[in-house]
């Protein structure tokens, strides 16, 4: 079996503050080491559970966070951007996806909760359902036939995402007590739990199925943080302005939805 491990940082044990997820300071260097350790735990658990190939997708910020020399050498690492499939690049041909270090969506109560870009996006919904990053990228992975088999992050992330991927094994790395506070497992304990969960998830991969879609096409409604951002995004000719901060667009595949959202995220930097 082939497994893709997508690794973010906000849901990693011990991470609670924005400084820890932004390069250029000692707090980030420590946090990226914890992120790397959780990724390595998932890799080792996947191989212990019978994986023949493991790909690891560095999925935070500039996609250059993982310390490659601290990862199991059997894994293949996907790093750098841009890339069409973003946080699940490398999913082609995989049997399942593990989501490690993930977090709650924008406007939710989880630690460092956001969806793709906290500066730009206040809310993202697709076909009427509000989606966090796991929801968006889990649906994208499903288009490639890969179900979500394992999820790790804080309690708020797990609570809002569990029903979307009911067969996935979950690991709670910490409990959110605010946007920038929580009660965390020690990094070593979190890694042990993730490794054991990865072994368990491997045993359930063959029983997982990708939900079949009934309705054709996707309609994404996006709420921006400011009217100015909506002004900017609506320079894209196919976007529809609904009100001061809400816009919408349609796409034939979830891959297109995600790619458009990532392009809008990149556009937003001109207003920072």
């Amino acid at each position: 079996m082939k497994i893709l491990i997508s690794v973010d940082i906000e849901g990693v044990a011990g991470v609670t503050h924005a400084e820890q997820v932004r390069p250029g300071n000692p707090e980030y260097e420590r946090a990226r080491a914890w992120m790397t350790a959780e990724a390595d735990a998932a890799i080792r658990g996947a191989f212990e559970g019978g994986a023949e190939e493991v790909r690891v997708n560095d999925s935070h910020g500039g996609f250059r966070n993982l310390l490659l020399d601290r990862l199991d050498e059997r894994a293949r690492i996907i790093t750098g951007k841009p890339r069409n499939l973003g946080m699940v690049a490398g999913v082609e041909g995989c049997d399942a996806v593990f989501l490690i270090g993930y977090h709650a969506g924008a406007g939710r109560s989880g630690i460092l909760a956001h969806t793709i870009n906290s500066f730009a996006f206040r809310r993202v919904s697709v076909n009427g359902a509000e989606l966090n990053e796991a929801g968006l990228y889990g649906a994208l992975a499903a288009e490639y036939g890969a179900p979500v088999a394992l999820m790790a992050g804080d309690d708020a992330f797990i609570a809002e995402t569990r029903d979307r991927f009911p067969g996935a094994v979950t690991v709670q790395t910490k409990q959110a007590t605010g946007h920038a506070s929580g009660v965390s497992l020690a990094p070593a304990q979190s890694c042990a739990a993730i490794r054991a969960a990865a072994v368990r998830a491997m045993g359930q991969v063959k029983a997982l199925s990708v939900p079949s879609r009934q309705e054709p096409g996707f309609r994404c409604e996006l709420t921006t943080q400011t009217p100015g951002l909506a002004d900017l995004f609506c320079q894209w000719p196919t976007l529809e302005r609904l009100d001061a901060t809400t816009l919408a667009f349609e796409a034939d595949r979830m891959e297109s939805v995600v790619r458009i959202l990532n392009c809008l995220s990149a556009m937003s930097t001109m207003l920072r």
Side-chain angles (χ1 to χ4, degrees), residues 12-259:
V12 167
V15 175
T16 57
H17 194 275
E19 278 194 7
Q20 293 176 288
V21 305
R22 295 172 181 162
N25 65 82
E27 289 288 326
Y28 165 75
E29 293 302 326
R30 187 175 296 111
R32 74 190 294 208
W34 297 338
M35 175 190 182
T36 301
E38 290 196 2
D40 189 62
I43 295 166
R44 293 179 185 277
F47 278 120
E48 287 174 22
E52 298 167 331
E53 180 180 335
V54 175
R55 304 168 187 170
V56 180
N57 181 315
D58 188 324
S59 298
H60 173 68
F63 297 169
R64 295 182 295 112
N65 309 276
L66 293 171
L67 302 169
L68 274 58
D69 56 350
R70 299 188 189 180
L71 294 173
D72 189 306
E73 62 185 16
R74 293 172 292 179
R76 294 296 175 262
I77 319 302
I78 300 162
T79 183
K81 67 189 319 182
R83 50 199 192 209
N84 288 351
L85 302 185
M87 297 174 77
V88 292
V91 72
E92 302 93 334
C94 286
D95 296 285
V97 174
F98 293 176
L99 307 179
I100 305 299
Y102 271 62
H103 50 82
R108 302 302 182 94
S109 59
I111 294 171
L112 300 176
H114 68 281
T115 303
I116 300 178
N117 183 327
S118 59
F119 170 76
F121 304 150
R122 185 181 301 172
R123 182 178 183 272
V124 177
S125 67
V126 178
N127 291 348
E130 187 170 354
L131 297 181
N132 57 20
E133 289 173 19
L136 290 165
Y137 280 100
L140 173 50
E143 289 187 338
Y144 284 82
V148 174
L150 172 62
M151 303 187 298
D154 71 11
D155 59 325
F157 161 68
I158 291 170
E160 78 176 50
T161 312
R162 182 187 287 116
D163 290 346
R164 188 162 294 278
F165 307 112
V169 177
T170 61
V171 177
Q172 181 179 316
T173 59
K174 53 196 173 187
Q175 178 185 354
T177 57
H179 183 74
S181 64
V183 180
S184 179
L185 297 179
Q189 187 179 11
S190 183
C191 288
I194 288 170
R195 185 168 181 168
V199 174
R200 192 162 68 252
M202 289 299 300
Q204 301 177 191
V205 166
K206 292 182 178 179
L208 296 175
S209 60
V210 176
S212 58
R213 279 185 43 76
Q214 302 300 320
E215 71 276 14
F218 297 90
R219 179 176 174 83
C220 178
E221 292 194 5
L222 174 66
T223 303
T224 63
Q225 295 287 6
T226 67
L229 284 160
D231 293 342
L232 173 65
F233 296 160
C234 284
Q235 299 304 302
W236 194 313
T238 59
L239 268 61
E240 173 188 1
R241 187 76 171 261
L242 302 181
D243 60 34
T245 58
T246 308
L247 52 88
F249 63 87
E250 297 186 358
D252 58 344
R253 304 183 64 205
M254 182 58 75
E255 177 178 338
S256 298
V257 171
V258 170
R259 289 174 68 174

Side-chain angles (χ1 to χ4, degrees), residues 229 232-236 262-271:
L229 284 160
L232 173 65
F233 296 160
C234 284
Q235 299 304 302
W236 194 313
N262 285 332
C263 286
L264 295 177
S265 175
M267 286 172 63
S268 74
T269 59
M270 70 179 295
L271 294 185

